[in-house]
Amino acid sequence: MSYRLPDERVEELLSTVLQSGKIDRERDAAFLVYDLPYLREKVDAMIAAFPKTTLHAIAVKANSNPSILSYLNDTGIGLEAASVGELEIARQSGYSPDKIVFDSPVKSRQEIEFALQQSIHLNADNLMELERIDKTLQKMSSKSNIGLRINPQVGVGTIAITSVSGEYSKFGEPLKENRQKIIEAYCRYPWLNAIHLHVGSQGCDPVMLGNGICKVFELVCEINDELEQRGFNHRIRIFDMGGGLPVSYYRNRPPISMQEYSDMIRKTCPELFDGRFQLITEFGRYVHTNAGFAVSRVEYVKRHKSANTAMIHVGANMFIREAYHPGQWHHEISVADQTGRIKTQEPEESWVVAGPLCFAGDMLERNVYLPPIEEGDYLIIHDSGAYTLSMWSEYNSRSKPRVFGVCGDLVTERLGD
Ligand code: LLP
């Protein structure tokens, strides 16, 4: 399996969608296409890289399209939900409560009670939340597994805005400062049988992710020893290592594979894989990014002495990070004609690729060399399967692009919310 869809495959998928009769050129000025078998291959590669008993709770925030999530349901994966809305999407997509992990950093008392009633795995963000859970459990019984999110404080990586594991983070309990308090909490609450961390997303070296996992695993060993010494019967048995594996948005920069990542963790932390612990992962970007691409018709081509601009139908509403932090995020862009054929001429001119929103910074590219662009062409924004439509902004009240899944010759509309 290649780490991203080759251009020829993207071209084939786009032509299939355009010829399917499902595209209305007026309404579908922009749309998203997923290669469904490829998506499944990504999931299969992830499952193959970890012990069979691992629960792979895919992060709903990466792609919240219920139809895509239900398509993946029979692979045996689960879902990670970061809000009650995402819990509802998980339910609608056919996932049973025992396959769902609830992780929101800001859970109300009512939301905690709801998750406990449903016996959904719950990861508390902090020690105060543990107190709330304890109070709730005094009134009711629950089969939920419950963990605490630890910030292993292993570094910020290259993208500060999505970094969650620096010395300071708004997420989790900081390991250095609160180690003893964390240990005491595990001794106090017999129902606390899991532990959680997440380092990432994107911009964090896999080695840093691995360091975070090792640091938290050392803590788990210390806690379990302490529980034994103090004569308690309960132990931490579930280790949720989060997601965060970076993917590649570039044609010629292969990323570390899931198998290599898993081997790296296994090498530095072999006990984690020896069967004593139920493992949970929460990958999102790895699964969805490279399986989907966005397409927009070029509505106008503007020529000005300082720049050529292709005006398209998606911008900061779907690519919020790319518009606001252009140096940190990148998508390869191809130009295709109206039939979906990718233009291969050598680029001679540089282009601004501008979105439709009413603010000047609404741009996907400010200076990109592309083959000649004409009104009515399509621009393909590669590797757009994760954190795009799920981060949709309603500014200017434009309609959300439709989503199509392709499997062989079959094109199906993947209904969103
Ligand atoms: N688990 C937790 C608790 C998370 O917060 C996240 C992502 C994941 C799992 C999945 O991480 P992944 O494997 O997808 O890297 N483009 C977004 C990224 C935010 C990701 C937040 N958390 C943004 O720009 O905000």
Side-chain angles (χ1 to χ4, degrees):
M1 177 183 53
S2 60
Y3 66 87
R4 60 193 290 282
L5 296 174
D7 284 4
E8 310 79 66
R9 178 72 187 136
V10 169
E11 186 173 54
E12 195 184 327
L13 291 161
L14 178 56
S15 311
T16 309
V17 172
L18 291 175
Q19 284 160 24
S20 67
K22 295 216 156 85
I23 294 285
D24 173 339
R25 249 187 91 79
E26 204 36 52
R27 174 178 167 201
D28 297 310
F31 52 93
L32 260 167
V33 179
Y34 281 87
D35 184 337
L36 296 178
Y38 182 81
L39 191 60
R40 214 166 250 267
E41 277 179 50
K42 284 269 172 182
V43 169
D44 290 345
M46 176 184 68
I47 293 173
F50 286 90
K52 278 201 176 62
T53 52
T54 306
L55 172 64
H56 295 284
I58 306 300
V60 173
K61 72 200 87 174
N63 180 355
S64 50
N65 182 301
S67 171
I68 301 261
L69 298 176
S70 57
Y71 167 77
L72 293 176
N73 196 348
D74 67 0
T75 59
I77 58 163
L79 295 178
E80 183 261 357
S83 68
V84 168
E86 289 186 356
L87 282 178
E88 178 53 20
I89 290 172
R91 193 194 58 78
Q92 271 174 32
S93 311
Y95 288 78
S96 54
D98 59 318
K99 290 285 176 79
I100 300 174
V101 173
F102 184 32
D103 267 356
S104 159
V106 184
K107 304 181 197 76
S108 68
R109 289 184 176 81
Q110 217 183 353
E111 289 168 345
I112 291 170
E113 193 170 327
F114 173 76
L116 292 172
Q117 262 160 9
Q118 304 283 313
S119 296
I120 288 170
H121 180 119
L122 188 66
N123 283 324
D125 176 76
N126 55 62
L127 298 169
M128 294 166 292
E129 196 179 328
L130 292 182
E131 275 177 41
R132 288 188 182 193
I133 295 172
D134 192 50
K135 286 215 172 78
T136 315
L137 286 175
Q138 284 167 17
K139 313 185 284 198
M140 62 181 283
S141 67
S142 168
K143 292 204 182 77
S144 288
N145 292 312
I146 301 171
L148 172 65
R149 178 164 178 172
I150 308 295
N151 173 9
Q153 298 169 294
V154 284
V156 287
T158 56
I159 307 176
I161 200 167
T162 54
S163 155
V164 294
S165 206
E167 283 298 308
Y168 165 80
S169 166
K170 72 169 187 163
F171 298 100
E173 284 295 342
L175 185 52
K176 282 184 205 153
E177 293 83 350
N178 289 355
R179 194 174 191 99
Q180 205 47 45
K181 285 187 186 155
I182 295 167
I183 296 173
E184 289 307 325
Y186 276 89
C187 292
R188 188 171 323 125
Y189 302 124
W191 40 261
L192 197 51
N193 61 353
I195 201 152
H196 176 224
L197 79 150
H198 168 74
V199 180
S201 159
Q202 198 65 8
C204 287
D205 191 301
V207 173
M208 189 196 286
L209 269 58
N211 284 344
I213 291 171
C214 284
K215 277 194 186 310
V216 174
F217 187 68
E218 279 164 22
L219 174 71
V220 168
C221 296
E222 195 179 330
I223 292 172
N224 280 351
D225 284 351
E226 188 73 23
L227 290 171
E228 189 170 356
Q229 275 170 25
R230 295 203 203 172
F232 293 114
N233 289 330
H234 66 282
R235 299 283 182 272
I236 299 178
R237 306 214 179 275
I238 304 173
F239 190 99
D240 181 343
M241 64 176 75
L245 189 69
V247 302
S248 173
Y249 290 82
Y250 291 86
R251 279 198 180 89
N252 300 314
R253 287 192 205 169
I256 173 176
S257 72
M258 189 56 93
Q259 187 62 54
E260 286 163 337
Y261 178 54
S262 157
D263 289 347
M264 185 186 86
I265 304 169
R266 199 185 300 256
K267 214 163 146 196
T268 46
C269 218
E271 302 98 313
L272 200 51
F273 287 72
D274 71 8
R276 272 183 297 154
F277 295 92
Q278 151 86 61
L279 297 182
I280 298 180
T281 72
E282 300 176 352
F283 299 104
R285 198 181 295 277
Y286 166 82
V287 173
H288 297 287
T289 304
N290 306 113
F293 57 91
V295 182
S296 172
R297 194 174 69 220
V298 177
E299 200 59 52
Y300 294 101
V301 171
K302 285 187 170 175
R303 300 223 170 243
H304 181 264
K305 60 179 188 295
S306 59
N308 303 306
T309 308
M311 305 288 290
I312 64 169
H313 288 268
V314 283
N317 44 9
M318 194 155 117
F319 295 94
I320 186 163
R321 300 289 178 227
E322 292 77 352
Y324 286 103
H325 299 276
Q328 294 181 324
W329 297 96
H330 165 86
H331 289 265
E332 305 273 358
I333 294 183
S334 299
V335 186
D337 65 18
Q338 295 194 18
T339 66
R341 193 181 306 258
I342 292 181
K343 297 187 182 181
T344 51
Q345 293 103 300
E346 275 303 307
E348 284 169 5
E349 294 174 310
S350 106
W351 290 86
V352 173
V353 177
L357 302 183
C358 294
F359 77 100
D362 180 28
M363 289 171 176
L364 290 184
E365 284 292 348
R366 284 149 174 91
N367 179 19
V368 61
Y369 276 80
L370 292 171
I373 304 177
E374 285 165 39
E375 178 184 319
D377 282 348
Y378 284 114
L379 291 198
I380 299 168
I381 303 140
H382 295 265
D383 306 302
S384 298
Y387 298 111
T388 50
L389 216 46
S390 62
M391 293 178 74
W392 177 258
S393 148
E394 292 195 9
Y395 178 48
N396 284 162
S397 304
R398 299 182 63 90
S399 312
K400 263 187 180 180
R402 289 204 290 166
V403 176
F404 297 93
V406 185
C407 188
D409 288 339
L410 193 66
V411 176
T412 43
E413 183 180 352
R414 297 277 138 184
L415 296 171
D417 49 19

